[in-house]
Each structure stands twice: as C-alpha cells, then as structure tokens.
Amino acid sequence: MTSAAIYGCHGHRLTAEEKAFFADARPWGFILFRRNVDSPDQLRALTDELRDCIGGDANTPVLIDQEGGRVQRMGPPHWPKYPPGATFLKATNDPLAARELARLGGRLMAHELKDVGINVDCAPVLDVPVPGAHDIIGDRAYARDPETVAQLGRAVAEGLLAGGVLPVIKHMPGHGRAFADTHKELPTVHADLEALDGWDFAPFKALSDMPIGMTAHIVFTAIDRKHPATQSKKAIRMIRERLGFNGLLLSDDLVMNALSGSLTERAEKSLKAGCDLVIHWNGVLDEMRQVAEGTGKLKGGAKRRAEAALARIVHTPEPLDYREARDRFDAMLAGQLDAAKGPDVAEA
C-alpha cells in the first residue's frame, strides 16, 4: 500500500539499505537533488532503480526542483543553464514575448527531464515579493506584481505539461512576504486578509486548476496565529476554499528549521492539517525512518487527488525540434529575435 510520503536518496545510485527501506515504506514518489545528479546515463539509471524498488511502475512520480537560476539541480556540462524567473520579462520588456519565452523554457525543461525519467518539476514559483522581503524568493519570482506572476507562471506550467511533466505551484498560500528564510527559521506574516487576498493569493487562484501544489512553512497571523500554513487546518482550508485549489497538496521539506518537533511529529502534524503528502528530501536514511513512523497510507481524498494528478501526465508530448527550440530560446534571451515572429513550439 502506498504511503503518503516522498523521499530523497543519498547519492548517484541506491544502496541496498535504501532499496530495502523504499520497498517496505512504499512512498508515493521520490525527489532528486544536485547530489543525485552526475550524467544523463547515471540519472536514467537512478530513476529506473527508484521505480523498480517499489514495483517498477513507469508513472511513479520522480520530482526535482528545476526552476532555473539559483534553483537548478540539472545543469552544465550535461544540461543547459536556465535563467531565473525574473529574466523572462527583463529579456523581452514585452509581456506577450515574455510569456512565449517562459512557455518555451518550460517545454525545453520538460524535454530534458522526461529524457532522464523525471516526470514532476517543482515549478513554477508563484510567490510575489514585497519590498524588503527576504531574498530567498528574490529573482525566482517572475515579476513584482500578481498578474504578471500568474501569466508567466501559467506559461511555464503549460510548457511543462505539454512535455509530459507535471508542474508544482509553490509556495501556497504565498511566500513573497516572508522576511526570513524558512530553511533557517519560521517567518511570520502580519498582513491582513484583504492584502493577502489581493496580492499573495492572486496567482494561486489564477492557477488553481494545476495538478499539484506545495505549501509554505510560514505563519499568517490573519489565518492562524499559532501554526505555519503546512501544519494549519485553517490555512489548508483557505487553500482549498478561498484559493479554489482542489489538486494534490504537498508539504514543503519537513527538515526545514521553520518546523519544530521530531520528524515523526512534523509528518503527523502536516498530514493531520490537510497536506496530502509530506516531503523529506535530504536522503538521510535514519531520518526517513522517523518520517515513515508518522506517515500513514495514502487514502481517501488524498489518494483520489494523487490519481487525478498522475492522470494529467501527457504520454505523447507536444512535438518539439529540440535544437531549433533551444537556439530560439537562447536568441530570445539575448534579444536577437522578435518573439512574436517565432514559430509556435507546437509547430516546431
């Protein structure tokens, strides 16, 4: 029976201990990081190995954070470097051209991810920074206003979906006001509900049709003064009802210092609050065993949402001439090509 968890692994290949743990724990999926990435052949072998140890289903989710900029797990020399989200609008200075560029970037990423067996990308970032906010989001944000963030975020998501990779919208209900890094401490946001609704929530409302979302480890005093959104029933009800998100909801990483208590307690609290799945991504086996103690079976609404998300994977990707599309993407970034005159990716 599948458990409500997503785990990382330690290195380039699985150890015998990891294989035995995964076979017993039966996670819904896996997540990879730079420590797991060496070459295309190695990465394909690893994703095959991960799937094989829990039954060999080709649809088993394998996730990665491939945004571009500071957050890009697959990069040179085997894969091209992508710019941070803020670059799309800066490179074109034209919202229509920026959307084409963002979609093309998503489509190219999907091609590269699918080639090595990865079918879920933890992107796009839909957070909208405010002046003075911590730089943990910074240039990862597509713009500094909710409408443009929503437009460019949807373009990236559509590019990923067209290439057979599921996007994950993050970090719900919004990370843009955080004045601290959740990897290190728990931020508290004091904005009132009206301000949150008009700014932070807006891009997530606009993309509420996406298959998967990820929570933020942030306290929003207007919603719940005691608990970060990941572990707040009130915040997750807000995500479901006010933001209109009915997709699969993942926790952000349980290891982050924004959360407190044992890893078992962190998993239990997140799932009890309404997260469908929890993520533990550092690959430390003893820690994964602790998470497993607090993680039950994937069932009920969570299971239905997980099945619905996987049903969104396109198994015959939109046609792509990769080399032509890559050259066009690079030229658009360099300002050498009018995006409006470029052929649509679907026709390439």
Side-chain angles (χ1 to χ4, degrees):
M1 194 72 163
T2 301
S3 66
I6 295 167
Y7 295 117
C9 58
H10 181 69
H12 292 165
R13 297 298 295 267
L14 296 183
T15 65
E17 272 193 306
E18 286 175 325
K19 289 180 181 180
F21 169 75
F22 293 143
D24 181 59
R26 306 288 298 182
W28 181 73
F30 303 94
I31 186 164
L32 301 179
F33 282 79
R34 193 179 297 275
R35 66 177 181 272
N36 306 122
V37 176
D38 180 35
S39 68
D41 287 345
Q42 169 270 324
L43 203 44
R44 277 189 291 270
L46 178 58
T47 56
D48 286 345
E49 205 169 36
L50 287 165
R51 291 187 169 102
D52 286 346
C53 68
I54 61 168
D57 186 344
N59 281 335
T60 295
V62 178
L63 294 72
I64 199 166
D65 288 282
Q66 190 78 345
E67 299 173 15
R70 289 175 286 154
V71 183
Q72 180 173 340
R73 314 306 184 195
M74 293 162 51
H78 298 291
W79 298 276
K81 188 171 179 60
Y82 285 89
T87 301
F88 296 129
L89 192 57
K90 290 178 181 177
T92 61
N93 201 30
D94 174 352
L96 287 175
R99 285 201 293 273
E100 182 183 346
L101 184 58
R103 187 188 189 280
L104 184 55
R107 180 65 186 88
L108 287 164
M109 282 186 182
H111 178 86
E112 293 154 7
L113 296 175
K114 191 173 178 64
D115 182 60
V116 293
I118 295 169
N119 55 6
V120 183
D121 188 5
C122 296
V125 173
L126 298 186
D127 305 312
V128 191
V130 298
H134 192 281
D135 195 44
I136 188 62
I137 298 300
D139 64 1
R140 296 167 66 191
Y142 297 110
R144 298 283 163 161
D145 68 278
E147 183 178 2
T148 307
V149 167
Q151 290 172 350
L152 297 184
R154 178 169 291 280
V156 171
E158 289 178 349
L160 290 168
L161 284 166
V165 172
L166 297 179
V168 178
I169 57 174
K170 61 186 187 183
H171 307 80
M172 303 180 84
H175 206 301
R177 291 183 191 270
F179 284 82
D181 180 355
T182 49
H183 295 85
K184 299 177 181 178
E185 57 185 305
L186 175 62
T188 299
V189 169
H190 297 284
D192 61 37
L193 199 55
E194 183 178 1
L196 292 171
D197 193 61
W199 188 268
D200 307 71
F201 299 172
F204 294 102
K205 286 182 178 181
L207 274 78
S208 62
D209 58 316
M210 288 296 141
I212 309 177
M214 181 182 289
T215 61
H217 296 337
I218 297 174
V219 170
F220 296 86
T221 58
I223 303 171
D224 186 335
R225 291 183 172 273
K226 295 182 178 180
H227 306 102
T230 300
Q231 298 178 337
S232 167
K233 289 182 180 180
K234 293 177 181 177
I236 290 177
R237 185 163 60 246
M238 183 83 64
I239 288 169
R240 295 298 189 193
E241 296 176 0
R242 191 159 189 154
L243 277 62
F245 180 71
N246 295 313
L248 184 68
L249 191 61
L250 316 179
S251 78
D252 206 342
D253 176 31
L254 293 180
V255 175
M256 289 182 177
N257 289 331
L259 301 184
S260 59
S262 70
L263 287 169
T264 300
E265 291 169 341
R266 295 179 191 194
E268 289 174 340
K269 289 178 181 178
S270 301
L271 293 169
K272 187 176 180 180
C275 288
D276 294 321
L277 291 148
V278 293
I279 296 178
H280 179 277
W281 51 22
N282 69 15
V284 176
L285 194 53
D286 287 345
E287 291 188 6
M288 289 192 281
R289 292 190 177 106
Q290 293 175 47
V291 172
E293 290 178 10
T295 306
K297 296 175 181 178
L298 185 65
K299 58 185 180 181
K303 183 180 179 181
R304 289 191 295 273
R305 287 185 287 272
E307 291 170 348
L310 293 183
R312 296 278 299 274
I313 295 177
V314 175
H315 295 288
T316 304
E318 172 187 273
L320 178 75
D321 179 335
Y322 178 79
R323 189 66 266 161
E324 182 279 332
R326 183 72 222 183
D327 290 345
R328 178 155 50 96
F329 181 78
D330 291 341
M332 289 167 66
L333 277 178
Q336 297 170 358
L337 179 65
D338 181 353
K341 296 178 181 177
D344 187 80
V345 175
E347 300 171 354

